[in-house]
Amino acid sequence: MKTNSAATQVATGKSATGLSRLLALRNGVEVVSEENGVKLVGATEVVRTTQAGTALRTVLRALAAGPVAISELTDTLRTREGKGDDSQNDEIRFASLLRRHAHLFAWSVTCDAAPLVMVEPISRWSRFDLLLPDDTFPLRLSRFAYARRQGNELVVESPLSLFRVRLQSPLAREVLSALGQVTSVARLAAGQETGPGLEAVRMVVGHLVAAKVVDVGTKSGAEGAGGEVCEHEARFVEDRDDVLRQWSFHDLLFHARSRFGRHDEPFGATFPFTGDIEHEPPVKQRPVGPTTPLYRPDLDEILAHDPRFTAVLESRRSIRAYDEQPMTARQLGEFLYRVQRVRAIFGPDALSGVPYQGVDRPYPTGGATGDLDAYVTVNRCADLPRGVYYYDSAAHQLVLINKEEKALQTMLGMAYRACGGAVVPDVLLTITARFQRMAWKYSGIAYASTLKHVGVLYQTLYLVATAMQLAPCGLGSGDIQTSANIFGLDWRRESSVGEFMLGSRPAEYGPRGARHVGLAGWQHMNDPQWAIEALRYV
């Protein structure tokens, strides 16, 4: 495999087959002249080059305007403006700039002046090295690569790549499609071995390989008659990498795109829809249905009877069993009041830069967005009819939204399967998110933050249930579409992101019959007896 590093590619000119390699400053990078040099101003950084001569200034301005053939850049950089002009060192300075700040430049190829493909960096860690595999090497699209529309172009990206590849020609798009199965440059260019066809395919593939969206397999044992690739004999590193094998496509993409470092998408509190779309109200409009006011606990009474925090924290556990006597409507009212009620609504506040109404609940959320709501499926609860309810967290009441037995059994059945068939919950809390509460403010982290909120809420549910001597158990999965149908929701706007079972605690889990489930066979570390001792105080 032939490698052509970014530092040496400046010397590459136009090929005899009409192919030209081009260079440009990536979108968003501006060139600003200074008294003693020039600076490149990007979205997150400023790069200064001192003592820049006329040639370097000319080249950088040209690159800011669009792709320029590398052969033209070389000619300009080698121009001498006269005695005493700093241009004589501009070729060295430009090579250094390209080597040290490669992430500011985009590489592309044209065929007879028509664009074929462009590779642009999306991270400050991007370093481009053109890779031209042998024409008979097996090739295959990475299983982590994906194509999407951006503007009027088809682009290819991957969480494994620090580049975005723009497919600017029918040839590039055809090549990508063919790479869905094992192939080779020779096979892709079949019938075009002479003229620009083979070299054009080779250059398109080389850029896809360099961008790490296409894998190159081993050549040995991967050829059939006439040098054709045998798919069943091709070997790819991606298939043997134990780390990558354990990542799913969606999980790796979600991880890479919801944190800094490996992309250039808008990120953080960007408020992308201010002045365009109205922000979702802080509290959801109450659905239509019969209402049931819930018990409101007294703070002094709770403080007088609640166990100490450390005792609650240490004795917290998942319990998948219930007492013969069900929990009561009074207990459910206290529980929901302590974990999910709306304590206040505030804003907008121009001074603090919060152009929306925030929500204050017992647990924290990013930007006080209060994006989570709760639906309560009641199977067995004293003094409360069975049914599917919405928890009105502002008025602290339940709203019956579905009383059909089929709907009730469906919700309970999903929870039963999610907990491995251990128990049918007495009460099931389904946590939903109103996604636009987050997406209106945040770019890149909206859904990731919602899932963090779910984790914070889960811990709050566990601790309050433990303090109240109830049986809590968080679930790891749920059905988006089924729950949306039963709750009457548009799943794109609001749907389930968490499920939590609740019921009365069996006597064997109390302080006198305490059992630490699963202790046998554990490797005890760091005072494991705390969890057992804490049960005496709960």
Side-chain angles (χ1 to χ4, degrees):
M1 188 180 298
K2 292 163 278 189
T3 301
N4 193 359
S5 70
T8 61
Q9 288 174 44
V10 177
T12 306
K14 184 176 180 179
S15 73
T17 56
L19 291 173
S20 292
R21 301 203 51 235
L22 296 87
L23 188 67
L25 284 169
R26 61 154 300 163
N27 289 336
V29 178
E30 298 181 2
V31 178
V32 180
S33 295
E34 296 185 317
E35 182 177 353
N36 295 322
V38 66
K39 65 180 179 181
L40 304 180
V41 182
T44 60
E45 65 182 317
V46 175
V47 175
R48 283 185 165 82
T49 299
T50 60
Q51 299 179 342
T54 303
L56 181 55
R57 294 171 187 264
T58 300
V59 162
L60 291 177
R61 291 194 192 97
L63 293 175
V68 180
I70 293 175
S71 57
E72 296 179 20
L73 296 177
T74 302
D75 291 342
T76 302
L77 287 167
R78 290 174 179 173
T79 299
R80 298 295 182 261
E81 298 294 335
K83 186 177 181 179
D85 193 283
D86 283 330
S87 293
Q88 59 185 336
N89 295 316
D90 280 352
E91 188 174 2
I92 297 174
R93 293 192 184 100
F94 182 70
S96 175
L97 183 67
L98 188 60
R99 182 179 64 254
R100 296 172 59 191
H101 303 286
H103 61 288
L104 299 179
F105 296 86
W107 301 85
S108 59
V109 179
T110 61
C111 183
D112 295 328
L116 287 181
V117 64
M118 173 181 282
V119 176
E120 58 185 12
I122 60 174
S123 167
R124 65 189 181 94
W125 303 106
S126 303
R127 296 295 182 270
F128 184 75
D129 292 306
L130 181 60
L131 301 174
L132 298 176
D134 185 278
D135 294 349
T136 60
F137 272 47
L139 305 168
R140 188 184 63 184
L141 191 68
S142 168
R143 74 178 178 92
F144 294 99
Y146 61 98
R148 66 183 179 96
R149 180 185 63 82
Q150 187 178 73
N152 294 320
E153 288 185 320
L154 186 68
V155 301
V156 185
E157 297 173 313
S158 166
L160 297 179
S161 174
L162 297 178
F163 298 93
R164 179 182 298 110
V165 183
R166 298 190 176 277
L167 306 178
Q168 300 174 311
S169 63
L171 173 64
R173 293 188 285 271
E174 290 171 9
V175 166
L176 182 79
S177 177
L179 286 164
Q181 60 184 357
V182 177
T183 185
S184 67
V185 170
R187 178 181 289 183
L188 290 169
Q192 302 181 36
E193 286 80 2
T194 60
L198 177 60
E199 189 171 346
V201 169
R202 186 183 295 128
M203 291 299 288
V204 169
V205 170
H207 282 70
L208 291 170
V209 170
K212 296 187 177 179
V213 297
V214 167
D215 295 333
V216 180
T218 55
K219 184 178 179 181
S220 176
E223 298 172 74
E228 292 185 358
V229 175
C230 294
E231 181 174 352
H232 68 280
E233 295 182 1
R235 297 291 182 268
F236 295 90
V237 173
E238 191 174 273
D239 296 336
R240 303 193 299 272
D241 188 320
D242 288 346
V243 174
L244 288 181
R245 288 172 59 200
Q246 295 177 78
W247 274 106
S248 72
F249 163 75
H250 299 91
D251 283 347
L252 189 60
L253 177 61
F254 180 53
H255 175 57
R257 290 298 188 265
S258 60
R259 301 187 68 81
F260 282 120
R262 299 189 64 87
H263 67 91
D264 63 349
E265 299 291 342
F267 200 83
T270 62
F271 295 96
F273 302 104
T274 302
D276 180 25
I277 302 175
E278 287 294 325
H279 195 204
E280 284 277 317
V283 177
K284 177 181 174 178
Q285 183 177 357
R286 182 188 310 157
V288 176
T291 60
T292 301
L294 292 172
Y295 168 74
R296 292 173 177 264
D298 178 78
L299 178 61
D300 291 335
E301 183 178 341
I302 289 177
L303 293 176
H305 295 95
D306 254 8
R308 294 179 178 180
F309 174 75
T310 300
V312 171
L313 190 65
E314 288 294 327
S315 57
R316 188 257 345 130
R317 70 184 65 177
S318 293
I319 299 176
R320 300 175 184 87
Y322 305 118
D323 193 66
E324 292 182 2
Q325 296 298 319
M327 64 183 295
T328 65
R330 178 188 173 104
Q331 288 176 309
L332 180 59
E334 178 183 332
F335 179 78
L336 291 172
Y337 196 83
R338 296 176 66 173
V339 299
Q340 180 65 7
R341 79 185 188 280
V342 172
R343 297 191 298 200
I345 296 173
F346 59 92
D349 186 352
L351 293 178
S352 62
V354 181
Y356 59 89
Q357 286 186 298
V359 181
D360 177 43
R361 283 196 168 108
Y363 59 91
T365 58
T369 49
D371 53 322
L372 303 183
D373 280 291
Y375 291 77
V376 185
T377 301
V378 175
N379 175 35
R380 197 175 71 116
C381 183
D383 307 317
L384 190 61
R386 285 161 48 89
V388 180
Y389 298 84
Y390 167 72
Y391 174 56
D392 181 356
S393 56
H396 189 53
Q397 61 184 0
L398 293 178
V399 182
L400 181 63
I401 59 171
N402 199 321
K403 60 181 179 180
E404 295 182 2
E405 185 62 25
K406 182 179 179 180
L408 186 69
Q409 292 298 334
T410 298
M411 294 300 299
L412 297 173
M414 290 191 298
Y416 175 76
R417 291 188 294 274
C419 71
V423 67
V424 176
D426 278 358
V427 173
L428 172 67
L429 269 66
T430 303
I431 310 304
T432 65
R434 291 188 297 142
F435 303 113
Q436 283 66 46
R437 282 290 292 178
M438 295 293 294
W440 187 86
K441 176 179 180 179
Y442 295 104
S443 296
I445 61 172
Y447 187 64
S449 296
T450 286
L451 297 186
K452 292 180 175 69
H453 298 166
V454 176
V456 171
L457 178 55
Y458 266 34
Q459 178 73 333
T460 305
L461 295 172
Y462 264 113
L463 296 182
V464 172
T466 301
M468 292 180 62
Q469 299 184 31
L470 297 174
C473 181
L475 300 179
S477 63
D479 188 317
I480 293 173
Q481 191 60 60
T482 299
S483 59
N485 293 342
I486 291 174
F487 299 158
L489 303 175
D490 176 352
W491 75 271
R492 304 166 305 161
R493 186 169 188 165
E494 178 187 357
S495 53
S496 59
V497 289
E499 288 77 23
F500 197 90
M501 300 192 306
L502 192 67
S504 55
R505 178 178 294 189
E508 62 265 30
Y509 286 87
R512 290 186 175 82
R515 64 180 187 184
H516 204 65
V517 179
L519 259 182
W522 284 23
Q523 181 179 356
H524 300 290
M525 304 172 68
N526 298 320
D527 299 315
Q529 73 277 8
W530 280 24
I532 298 174
E533 294 295 323
L535 287 171
R536 295 187 300 168
Y537 302 96
V538 177

